[in-house]
Amino acid sequence: MTDRQVALLAVMVWCGALVPMLVPFALLIALVVMAAISLRQRWPRRFLLVMVLLASALSGRAWAGVEPAEERRFEGPVVLAADPEPTSGGVRVTASIDGERYDLRAWGSPAGGLRHRLMGEQVMVEATLRPLNDAPTWLLAQGLSGRGTVTSVDGFDVGSPHTRLANSIRRTIESGASSMSRDEQALFAGLVYGDDRAQSPLTADNFDAAGLTHLLAVSGQNVAFVLAITGPVLRRLGHRQRFVFVLAVLVLFATVTRFEPSVVRASVMTAVASVAVLVGTEVSSGRVLAVAVSALVVIDPLIVHSVAFQLSVAASAGILLWSGRVARAVPGPRPLVEALAVTACAQLAVAPLLVWRFDGLPVASLPANLLAGPAAGPVMMWGLTGGLMAGLVPEWLAAWLHIPTRLALWWIDSVASQVPLLPLGRLGAVHIVLLFVLGAWGLRRIARLGRGATVVGLFVVLMHPAVVLATMPAETRVIDASSMIWRDDETTVLQVGGRSQPEDVLSTLRKANVGNIDLVIFERSSFANASLANWIRSHHRVTSVWAPTVTMGVGETVPDNNTRLLVDGVVLTIGVDDERLGVSAAIGDEPSAQE
């Protein structure tokens, strides 16, 4: 099969997996036999057709295998299928119970029993299990059968040998980073092995606004660095020994990074390339990507619903298809041009997905990636070498070993926090279409005048979101059911309810292009709101903070009962009691009780 036919195979298999078809097991076997015969006889058209049907049939069986749970009481061992994550004062974890996967939650002492466990470990629990009930497709695609609440945790086992080794590596690296601050440790864990559980909402918002979130989620780049680290060993091995060693390293690293879809994709690509080298066949990078995607979708059809897998495949395809042509078309120093081409092509390839599933692509992502990317690679490599060594030596020596790490982390964090302060806005669907059209036109063999016009057009498209953001009127915005940004040309009031997530508050403030905030009203005094107040102040000048009690230590005051404010034609009335500030809104033109 030609490279184009293999690429078409990947696309058709993907489409087949999106349309599940439940067929008898005998027909499924027949499709497998037909696919094998078509491939052996070199009938590409028949092979493509059969593979579409096979992917659809496998997807149907995969969905049928997700049996809905029955409400029941469970007592016994569960195997953790992921690392426990903090959530709403408790812990959330995916676990396997009797061969089925459940989304478990725990609070209080049971949460304490789960909090420090890791994937692959076996824990004795008591839990109440129940069905998912109208869960979204992306959640069902994880193979979950139901939810559960853990009421008791009693003992654990370290699990299988390879997960025990992977967990030992993670704990050793984590121990070696104990001299760092909490934020540095969280950022370090995200860069080295994709653990973002301890990241603060402020860090998450900064990296999202800078388009650097992919640095905190392990990717194919991490796999490349792992292979680079093992290079001295690989060069001393023969072809067969090298193949076995590479597979072992890939399996171990995939376990350390919790089988993130991007790592699995890169690992399978590496395995495909290794097989080609072993049998003495030369294959293009595009062919390797297509074969890897086809294989993964056939093995696990539900993976096509994973956003991380979609983004990983799109970014890889964009780099392979366009980066070389862009680098050749753009003049300038080769290292800078090549880095620019890879970053731009990867960002443009994932842009349609970001527009569709999220809020678009931040324009700041291009300069942010160019600035932070060169520092991220050394942190990843040093984390798996020097960072591992740091966990085996005294803490004072580990602190010295991590001096370069701290410098690199400071730079990456500075880029993530400062670049988004530039009011560049986010690219929407129309911008992405225009960039595709202008990019395709610019890569054609056109006259110098035409290329100049293309550059001007690209600049105008990229700057348009900044103009829109700068001319955005000051208006009231809803954050969620309990929080609002009350705003007009003179006054900005942020009302934060008790159930609001800090990520939502910070994100909405940024996207609304809010600068100074005259007043922040916290309906409740809490440690979480004290942290949120400090995070808000890191990017906004806050004049006053109101809360029901003076216990948070952020310069808050308690307003008089029934204080009234006039913002955007709405009168806000503040009711005060011992535990809560109540905010009621009514249309009116009464003057504020406090100027």
Side-chain angles (χ1 to χ4, degrees):
M1 297 178 65
T2 65
D3 285 358
R4 288 189 177 184
Q5 289 172 335
V6 176
L8 181 60
L9 170 66
V11 174
M12 294 182 69
V13 167
W14 189 298
C15 293
L18 291 174
V19 186
M21 176 179 60
L22 188 59
V23 301
F25 185 72
L27 181 55
L28 180 64
I29 296 299
L31 289 172
V32 173
V33 173
M34 292 170 63
I37 294 174
S38 300
L39 183 61
R40 182 177 179 82
Q41 297 297 326
R42 297 184 180 180
W43 297 333
R45 293 182 180 179
R46 295 184 185 181
F47 180 69
L48 292 175
L49 177 60
V50 173
M51 287 302 296
V52 171
L53 297 175
L54 179 60
S56 178
L58 290 171
S59 180
R61 294 193 69 84
W63 280 113
V66 183
E67 295 288 342
E70 296 181 356
E71 188 164 345
R72 63 188 176 101
R73 184 73 179 171
F74 172 81
E75 181 177 352
V78 303
V79 178
L80 303 186
D83 298 322
E85 299 181 5
T87 178
S88 303
V91 166
R92 175 184 182 181
V93 65
T94 302
S96 177
I97 301 176
D98 297 334
E100 298 178 341
R101 293 164 66 94
Y102 287 83
D103 180 22
L104 301 181
R105 308 289 179 98
W107 290 270
S109 58
L114 288 174
R115 185 168 286 114
H116 299 294
R117 304 276 58 85
L118 293 177
M119 187 196 83
E121 296 181 345
Q122 182 175 282
V123 185
M124 298 294 297
V125 304
E126 294 182 12
T128 301
L129 306 179
R130 56 189 182 277
L132 285 173
N133 295 330
D134 300 326
T137 301
W138 66 267
L139 186 60
L140 293 173
Q142 298 178 16
L144 295 176
S145 296
R147 294 188 173 97
T149 301
V150 177
T151 56
S152 175
V153 175
D154 184 18
F156 70 96
D157 182 78
V158 291
S160 62
H162 81 281
T163 56
R164 187 184 311 177
L165 176 60
N167 290 339
S168 176
I169 291 173
R170 286 174 65 115
R171 287 190 168 110
T172 302
I173 294 174
E174 180 182 346
S175 174
S178 59
S179 60
M180 301 182 191
S181 68
R182 183 174 179 179
D183 288 340
E184 287 175 332
Q185 290 181 45
L187 188 56
F188 178 66
L191 287 165
V192 176
Y193 47 82
D195 188 351
D196 61 355
R197 294 175 297 162
Q199 287 167 16
S200 70
L202 178 62
T203 298
D205 181 67
N206 285 339
F207 276 74
D208 174 66
L212 295 175
T213 305
H214 64 95
L215 295 182
L216 304 181
V218 286
S219 63
Q221 186 181 27
N222 297 69
V223 175
F225 288 137
V226 169
L227 294 178
I229 291 170
T230 59
V233 177
L234 292 175
R235 285 190 289 270
R236 289 172 171 79
L237 299 176
H239 286 305
R240 294 181 183 275
Q241 294 85 355
R242 185 182 304 172
F243 175 72
V244 173
F245 184 80
V246 166
L247 290 185
V249 169
L250 292 176
V251 171
L252 178 60
F253 185 66
T255 307
V256 170
T257 56
R258 304 326 193 201
F259 296 97
E260 284 290 328
S262 55
V263 171
V264 173
R265 187 269 311 159
S267 299
V268 173
M269 284 185 65
T270 304
V272 171
S274 299
V275 171
V277 172
L278 185 64
V279 300
T281 301
E282 292 187 8
V283 291
S284 65
S285 299
R287 191 182 188 92
V288 171
L289 175 61
V291 171
V293 170
S294 301
L296 284 170
V297 174
V298 169
I299 294 170
D300 179 15
L302 301 186
I303 199 173
V304 297
H305 298 282
S306 166
V307 177
F309 184 66
Q310 296 169 4
L311 292 172
S312 176
V313 173
S316 300
I319 293 172
L320 293 177
L321 291 174
W322 306 323
S323 62
R325 297 179 62 188
V326 171
R328 289 190 295 269
V330 176
R334 287 299 92 190
L336 177 61
V337 168
E338 290 173 359
L340 175 65
V342 169
T343 299
C345 292
Q347 294 291 324
L348 189 59
V350 301
L353 284 169
L354 296 178
V355 171
W356 175 35
R357 292 189 174 273
F358 303 104
D359 297 318
L361 177 67
V363 179
S365 63
L366 187 58
N369 276 277
L370 288 174
L371 292 171
V379 172
M380 296 173 191
M381 296 186 70
W382 184 244
L384 293 173
T385 52
L388 194 59
M389 186 187 306
L392 303 174
V393 299
E395 185 175 345
W396 65 269
L397 182 55
W400 278 95
L401 288 173
H402 273 308
I403 288 178
T405 307
R406 287 198 188 90
L407 291 174
L409 292 177
W410 169 82
W411 172 252
I412 295 170
D413 188 54
S414 297
V415 172
S417 60
Q418 298 303 313
V419 171
L421 296 181
L422 300 173
L424 299 178
R426 301 174 82 92
L427 298 170
V430 175
H431 300 108
I432 301 304
V433 171
L434 290 175
L435 288 176
F436 269 110
V437 172
L438 289 171
W441 175 255
L443 292 176
R444 293 170 60 89
R445 296 177 180 271
I446 56 178
R448 180 176 299 179
L449 180 61
R451 292 204 172 187
T454 300
V455 171
V456 172
L458 290 172
F459 179 80
V460 170
V461 173
L462 291 174
M463 290 298 102
H464 180 258
V467 175
V468 172
L469 196 63
T471 57
M472 180 184 299
E475 58 186 8
T476 296
R477 288 206 176 195
V478 176
I479 298 176
D480 55 33
S482 60
S483 296
M484 297 279 292
I485 302 175
W486 303 96
R487 193 180 183 204
D488 56 26
D489 293 332
E490 298 180 355
T491 307
T492 299
V493 176
L494 172 62
Q495 173 194 345
V496 180
R499 297 182 179 180
S500 298
Q501 297 298 318
E503 296 90 339
D504 296 334
V505 175
L506 295 172
S507 176
T508 306
L509 284 172
R510 191 187 298 276
K511 291 171 184 175
N513 198 29
V514 173
N516 298 332
I517 302 176
D518 299 287
L519 174 64
V520 178
I521 302 174
F522 287 111
E523 294 187 2
R524 297 186 183 278
S525 297
S526 65
F527 174 78
N529 281 340
S531 298
L532 177 57
N534 291 324
W535 292 331
I536 292 171
R537 280 180 167 149
S538 68
H539 290 320
H540 307 273
R541 187 177 67 83
V542 177
T543 303
S544 301
V545 177
W546 287 357
T549 57
V550 184
T551 57
M552 297 191 296
V554 293
E556 71 274 21
T557 59
V558 181
D560 295 332
N561 191 31
N562 292 326
T563 297
R564 291 177 296 171
L565 304 171
L566 178 63
V567 186
D568 196 22
V570 176
V571 176
L572 305 179
T573 303
I574 317 299
V576 185
D577 59 34
D578 293 336
E579 298 182 354
R580 183 176 180 273
L581 291 185
V583 181
S584 59
I587 303 297
D589 56 0
E590 299 181 31
S592 171
Q594 293 188 359
E595 296 292 335

